[in-house]
């Protein structure tokens, strides 16, 4: 999952993107933001970072991109935010998810899909009421010798119960992963039950013989997320509206787009043409006057729908 962020960091560091002569920007790592506040002049924002190199720096504009859980843990008292915004940060919820990936020495599941073509032979998803939740079988084989199976993808309460079995991999005293470990044992036993009765179904001994290692992760225990995907209930959008594709990567793109639009529009008094340029970011080349918004038509890009982004900006009180 670091592919996206690594690519972003590389682009920021580049001196030829988005154009030749661009300023190279280094991304600071291991410097979590712990507080944000307005400076005494009321025009800049001070951001305090923790970690080994704690410091406070001032910025003209700050775009916060954390999940709401980590945001709530920051000291935001100096921003003088409205109570509605603080309630939104506190109340909007994230569901739980726990995943367990197991690497085997063979793709023992491929024979269960005899009708699949050669390229996709062995792909699919199983669901059950076992602790496993969902089991995801990869539909590719790139020949690198890895045979990783997402043995368990659990949500909600199932995820919480599986999370209790996830070890602390940073603790030196944590035993080396083995098929006898609590969470691996639950998964392997579940896989045997899942395929019981099928021709050539694996036995528990078979899976022990095929087992190489495993890794488990609970997003509810992740300091950077404090949860998995957004799962907002009725009335949760009353005080804050994040985007039209919440819980998806495309939602993150939406948030970036309309946040930039709102920022540029807010600066329109300083530069009269800024608001016009901001709206052009949401208008396609064939519809520069935003007619596709008025006709309720979809924008140009399926993963970053301009019409929905514009609607989100309006719903967030952009004037």
């Amino acid at each position: 999952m670091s592919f996206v962020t690594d690519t972003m960091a590389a682009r920021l560091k580049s001196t030829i993107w988005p154009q030749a002569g661009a300023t190279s920007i280094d991304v600071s790592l291991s410097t979590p933001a712990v507080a944000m506040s307005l400076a005494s002049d009321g025009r800049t924002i001070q951001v305090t970072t923790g970690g080994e190199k704690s410091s406070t720096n001032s910025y003209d504009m700050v775009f916060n991109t954390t999940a709401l859980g980590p945001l709530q843990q920051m000291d935001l008292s100096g921003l003088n935010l409205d109570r509605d915004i603080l309630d939104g940060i506190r109340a909007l919820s994230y569901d739980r998810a726990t995943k367990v990936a197991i690497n085997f020495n063979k793709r023992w599941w491929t024979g269960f899909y005899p009708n699949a073509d050669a390229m996709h032979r062995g792909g699919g998803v199983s669901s059950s009421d076992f602790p496993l939740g969902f089991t995801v079988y990869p539909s590719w084989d790139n020949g690198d010798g890895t045979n990783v199976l997402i043995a368990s993808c659990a949500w909600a309460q199932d995820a919480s119960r599986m999370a209790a079995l996830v070890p602390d991999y940073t603790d030196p005293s944590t035993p080396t992963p083995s098929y006898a470990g609590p969470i691996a044992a639950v998964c392997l036993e579940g896989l045997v039950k899942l395929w019981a009765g099928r021709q050539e179904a694996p036995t528990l001994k078979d899976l022990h013989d095929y087992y190489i290692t495993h890794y488990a992760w609970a997003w509810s225990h992740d300091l950077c997320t404090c949860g998995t995907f957004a799962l907002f209930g009725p009335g949760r959008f009353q005080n804050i509206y994040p985007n039209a594709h919440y819980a998806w990567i495309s939602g993150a793109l939406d948030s970036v787009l309309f946040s930039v639009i709102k920022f540029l529009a807010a600066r329109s008094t300083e530069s009269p043409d800024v608001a016009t340029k901001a709206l052009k970011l949401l208008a396609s080349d064939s519809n520069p006057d935003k007619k596709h918004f008025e006709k309720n038509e979809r924008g140009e890009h399926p993963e970053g729908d301009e019409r929905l982004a514009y609607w989100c900006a309006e719903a967030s009180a952009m004037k």
Side-chain angles (χ1 to χ4, degrees):
M1 290 298 291
S2 65
F3 178 80
V4 173
T5 51
D6 289 345
T7 301
M8 292 171 63
R11 290 291 180 88
L12 290 172
K13 191 175 181 63
S14 172
T15 57
I16 60 173
W17 184 89
Q19 58 191 14
T23 301
S24 178
I25 301 174
D26 287 320
V27 176
S28 299
L29 303 177
S30 301
T31 53
V34 296
M36 289 188 284
S37 62
L38 290 173
S40 57
D41 60 8
R43 297 180 59 85
T44 58
I45 299 175
Q46 294 182 322
V47 178
T48 301
T49 56
E52 296 181 357
K53 299 180 180 179
S54 179
S55 64
T56 299
N57 297 285
S58 296
Y59 302 92
D60 293 326
M61 173 56 64
V62 173
F63 291 92
N64 181 77
T65 59
T66 67
L68 297 183
L71 178 61
Q72 186 185 14
Q73 296 168 7
M74 299 179 198
D75 181 1
L76 306 178
S77 57
L79 292 178
N80 300 323
L81 298 175
D82 292 340
R83 171 51 58 182
D84 286 349
I85 295 178
L86 295 175
D87 284 344
I89 294 172
R90 177 183 57 82
L92 294 179
S93 62
Y94 290 71
D95 202 1
R96 297 142 287 166
T98 301
K99 290 186 179 181
V100 184
I102 301 180
N103 189 17
F104 295 96
N105 60 24
K106 64 179 295 184
R107 301 167 70 85
W108 53 265
W109 56 87
T110 56
F112 299 150
Y113 297 88
N115 296 323
D117 58 45
M119 180 177 294
H120 298 92
R121 185 177 177 84
V125 179
S126 298
S127 61
S128 71
D129 57 359
F130 300 145
L132 298 177
F134 295 93
T135 298
V136 183
Y137 309 87
S139 58
W140 66 90
D141 182 359
N142 56 15
D144 64 356
T146 58
N147 306 293
V148 177
L149 175 73
I150 300 180
S152 173
C153 176
W155 296 350
Q157 179 169 268
D158 289 339
S160 295
R161 293 175 176 178
M162 289 293 282
L165 304 177
V166 177
D168 181 1
Y169 293 102
T170 64
D171 186 345
S173 65
T174 298
T176 301
S178 74
Y179 61 72
I183 200 165
V186 168
C187 290
L188 295 177
E189 291 170 4
L191 290 172
V192 171
K193 295 176 183 177
L194 188 63
W195 291 102
R198 290 292 299 269
Q199 186 176 2
E200 299 182 359
T203 65
L204 187 58
K205 183 181 183 305
D206 289 334
L207 296 186
H208 287 175
D209 292 340
Y210 302 153
Y211 173 92
I212 296 178
T213 188
H214 75 275
Y215 191 84
W217 192 255
W219 273 263
S220 58
H221 298 175
D222 191 319
L223 295 176
C224 296
T225 61
C226 301
T228 311
F229 48 83
L231 191 65
F232 304 155
R236 294 288 177 84
F237 291 124
Q238 181 176 356
N239 296 325
I240 185 173
Y241 200 99
N243 56 67
H245 293 112
Y246 64 87
W248 299 93
I249 289 293
S250 55
L253 299 177
D254 284 348
S255 294
V256 170
L257 182 58
F258 75 74
S259 293
V260 172
I261 300 304
K262 290 171 64 179
F263 166 64
L264 294 177
R267 296 176 62 89
S268 60
T269 55
E270 301 174 18
S271 179
D273 63 337
V274 168
T276 301
K277 291 180 179 179
L279 291 176
K280 283 185 177 180
L281 289 175
L282 292 176
S284 67
D285 293 336
S286 58
N287 295 287
D289 57 354
K290 310 194 309 300
K291 287 184 178 179
H292 56 298
F293 301 140
E294 299 168 4
K295 293 181 180 180
N296 201 34
E297 296 175 356
R298 188 171 178 79
E300 284 188 332
H301 309 102
E303 288 301 317
D305 190 345
E306 300 92 337
R307 180 179 60 80
L308 286 176
Y310 182 82
W311 179 63
C312 285
E314 290 285 354
S316 298
M318 185 192 82
K319 302 299 183 182

